Amino acid sequence: MRLLVLGGTVFLGRAVARLARAGGHDVTCLARGTTGGAVDGVRFVTGDRDRPDGLSAVDGETFDAVVDVTTRPSHARHAAAALAGRVGHYSFVSTCNVYPDDATPGQRADTAKLHDPAPPEIDNPRDGQMDMYGPCKVACENAIRDGIGADRVFLLRAGLIVGPEDRSDRFPYWVARMRRGGEVLAPGAPDELVQFVDVDDLAGWLLLAGTTGLAGAYDGMGLPMPRVRFLTELRDALAPAGPTLTWVDQDFLVEHDVRPWSGERALPLWLPLPEYGGFQSRDTTRSVEAGLPARPIAETALRTAHWMDTAPQDVKPGGLAPEDEAIVLREWHARSA
């Protein structure tokens, strides 16, 4: 397969390029080259997609498949116009932020309501307008589907992507926390759900979509699992004789300024209920049936830990600091005594 990756220098794009190269595909990555490095053995060409002619480096070339991760509707429009008629299949990596309903569990990609697309004057959600991230991705989806043809477009609405080269503080926080050992503050209740996907599983699915012609909208994440399973399997992989889990309920966490999802004083992968009851509980049965794999948590944990050890400069600090965690646990035990 002749594959064009629009990006390919960070995280998921790099994983796609790396797996495609290992699988014997002919891979070209087009990017500015300012946010990451190209994969060894992959052809890299420079292009600035902020310009209407940003894909001119591949003018006249044809590709069996394209993988695109842009957040900017103008990029999507320019790519669709430039590549229409020259590509067999187009995979666009969208996001579950295209859905406005974060509260309802069990939603499906083929039936869930979407945000309205971003208006034309909004083109970059990172310019202080992150509330427009989902609407911008909807606009990108529409531009690519309209320009390339719905029967040749795979819309992959990714959730939380984890694994090596994850520069967020979400999954890496839990890897580091389990390795540190001791008493671990487990947020919420054991049966609350979490949902994510390994970066290489998602990359492999994108390659499968390109080779089989999979089309339509799918959510790119594994089946939801109880938080207790996630934390227990993570612990057993990284420190089987070490940490103990202490479950602290949501109201107490909120009272003590423990924050959700990511960032300073946060417990990653935890979100308040019921307002986010649907965010990590999407019905992804269709995705699994369409070939999305799910490797064991232990494998993802060990691979992530190895990357964190070998590239510590790329690991983003964040989450609840050890001293703050100790204070919250001490006060929880005092309240429960």
Side-chain angles (χ1 to χ4, degrees):
M1 176 172 67
R2 192 151 194 261
L3 174 67
L4 173 63
V5 181
L6 298 177
T9 59
V10 294
F11 203 27
L12 178 59
R14 277 179 59 83
V16 170
R18 185 169 52 244
L19 286 178
R21 176 72 177 83
H25 299 292
D26 180 356
V27 186
T28 297
C29 290
L30 184 149
R32 288 179 299 177
T34 58
T35 57
V39 173
D40 290 343
V42 168
R43 175 193 176 206
F44 179 82
V45 296
T46 302
D48 183 356
R49 298 184 67 187
D50 290 350
R51 299 169 54 90
D53 63 349
L55 304 187
S56 60
V58 293
D59 278 354
E61 300 186 43
T62 60
F63 299 92
D64 299 302
V66 173
V67 173
D68 188 356
V69 300
T70 189
T71 62
R72 299 185 63 166
S74 64
H75 291 183
R77 291 192 297 270
H78 296 157
L83 297 172
R86 296 197 284 125
V87 299
H89 183 269
Y90 203 115
S91 289
F92 176 64
V93 180
S94 188
T95 171
C96 282
N97 292 101
V98 298
Y99 306 118
D101 181 359
D102 291 327
T104 304
Q107 295 179 73
R108 293 165 51 109
D110 55 338
T111 57
K113 176 181 173 57
L114 301 179
H115 279 292
D116 291 332
E121 64 271 17
I122 303 296
D123 190 56
N124 189 353
R126 292 175 181 165
D127 291 340
Q129 301 182 86
M130 284 307 294
D131 60 320
M132 296 303 295
Y133 176 58
C136 279
K137 282 287 196 177
V138 174
C140 290
E141 289 185 7
N142 293 347
I144 291 166
R145 188 173 50 232
D146 293 346
I148 302 297
D151 60 335
R152 292 190 290 137
V153 172
F154 175 45
L155 300 177
L156 190 161
R157 295 170 181 158
L160 178 63
I161 308 172
V162 304
E165 301 188 14
D166 176 6
R167 297 184 183 182
S168 79
D169 62 354
R170 292 167 295 197
F171 191 81
Y173 169 86
W174 289 111
V175 171
R177 182 63 195 89
M178 291 304 176
R179 297 173 87 188
R180 196 168 74 238
E183 184 183 15
V184 174
L185 196 168
D191 61 349
E192 291 174 3
L193 298 176
V194 297
Q195 196 168 27
F196 53 87
V197 65
D198 185 287
V199 63
D200 282 346
D201 288 340
L202 201 61
W205 195 33
L206 284 163
L207 294 179
L208 178 66
T211 56
T212 62
L214 179 63
Y218 292 82
D219 286 335
M221 67 193 79
L223 296 170
M225 69 180 70
R227 194 186 313 279
V228 66
R229 176 188 162 192
F230 165 66
L231 292 179
T232 300
E233 292 191 22
L234 202 65
R235 177 192 65 191
D236 291 348
L238 296 166
T244 59
L245 302 178
T246 297
W247 295 91
V248 178
D249 70 40
Q250 171 177 302
D251 291 344
F252 189 88
L253 295 175
V254 172
E255 289 170 9
H256 289 75
D257 191 32
V258 178
R259 302 165 192 171
W261 197 243
S262 109
E264 185 181 358
R265 286 193 63 84
L267 284 173
L269 277 70
W270 167 62
L271 285 167
L273 301 177
E275 57 265 45
Y276 286 98
F279 195 78
Q280 296 190 90
S281 62
R282 300 194 64 80
D283 180 357
T284 54
T285 305
R286 287 177 64 248
S287 301
V288 173
E289 292 173 347
L292 175 61
R295 70 189 63 209
I297 295 172
E299 184 177 335
T300 300
L302 292 170
R303 291 167 57 243
T304 303
H306 175 72
W307 166 73
M308 293 170 71
D309 289 341
T310 56
Q313 71 280 1
D314 293 332
V315 179
K316 179 181 178 180
L320 194 62
E323 57 274 19
D324 294 327
E325 181 189 28
I327 292 170
V328 175
L329 284 169
R330 185 169 62 249
E331 294 185 1
W332 172 253
H333 289 305
R335 176 172 173 170
S336 304

